[in-house]
Amino acid sequence: MRILGLDVGDKRIGIAISDPMGWTAQGIETLKRQSKEKDLARLVELIHTYEVDTIVCGLPRNMNGTYGPKAEETRRFGDKLQEHFQIPLIYWDERLTTVSAQKTLLQGDVSRAKRKEVVDKIAAVFILQNYLDARAKS
């Protein structure tokens, strides 16, 4: 079984998946948000295709650790996922993951247009990999 990592945004959802052993995270895609129904339908496909048993959803926090309006939106989305899929959903601190993803893409000399297409997917990889690393240490 695998773990699905999500970086949920207003316009896009970055999606990553763990390897079957739960050691590494790989980016799958950046889902351009259309509607809740279409977004959920695509996630259903991915969950079945990869035999996902857990979802890790990045939770935006302010730098001082507090939660703002984006965190509440993410929690509402996560609640819908849990209702729909009936599998465990874990929220994971996503502070600075998009910044790290941007830096990684800049270091790789990825064009601005291409960065916009993949930054959310790379952020989902960072979220999921951070979770996997923390789980391995415990």
Side-chain angles (χ1 to χ4, degrees):
M1 297 301 249
R2 295 180 181 214
I3 302 170
L4 190 73
L6 301 176
D7 178 37
V8 179
D10 293 332
K11 296 180 182 179
R12 292 175 296 279
I13 300 173
I15 305 171
I17 193 76
S18 72
D19 68 286
M21 300 299 291
W23 293 339
T24 62
Q26 299 87 35
I28 299 177
E29 68 181 67
T30 300
L31 174 64
K32 290 185 181 172
R33 303 215 42 196
Q34 297 177 21
S35 68
K36 288 178 185 173
E37 295 78 23
K38 288 182 180 181
D39 297 347
L40 283 175
R42 179 62 184 142
L43 291 173
V44 165
E45 289 175 30
L46 294 171
I47 286 169
H48 290 300
T49 299
Y50 290 98
E51 299 177 347
V52 171
D53 68 352
T54 305
I55 300 171
V56 174
C57 186
L59 187 63
R61 295 179 84 167
N62 298 320
M63 290 310 292
N64 66 2
T66 61
Y67 299 101
K70 288 288 183 198
E72 290 307 312
E73 289 176 30
T74 300
R75 285 185 197 271
R76 282 194 296 276
F77 183 81
D79 289 345
K80 289 193 186 309
L81 289 179
Q82 271 193 303
E83 288 172 22
H84 193 77
F85 298 118
Q86 301 295 310
I87 59 177
L89 184 134
I90 298 161
Y91 292 105
W92 197 256
D93 187 352
E94 72 167 35
R95 278 181 282 189
L96 301 177
T97 55
T98 301
V99 172
S100 296
Q102 288 281 12
K103 285 182 181 179
T104 299
L105 293 168
L106 283 169
Q107 289 172 347
D109 201 28
V110 177
S111 71
R112 182 181 298 222
K114 185 69 174 171
R115 281 195 313 263
K116 187 175 180 180
E117 290 177 24
V118 299
V119 69
D120 299 298
K121 175 173 63 173
I122 302 300
V125 170
F126 280 117
I127 291 165
L128 181 54
Q129 190 64 57
N130 289 338
Y131 169 78
L132 295 172
D133 291 346
R135 190 178 75 158
K137 290 178 184 174
S138 60

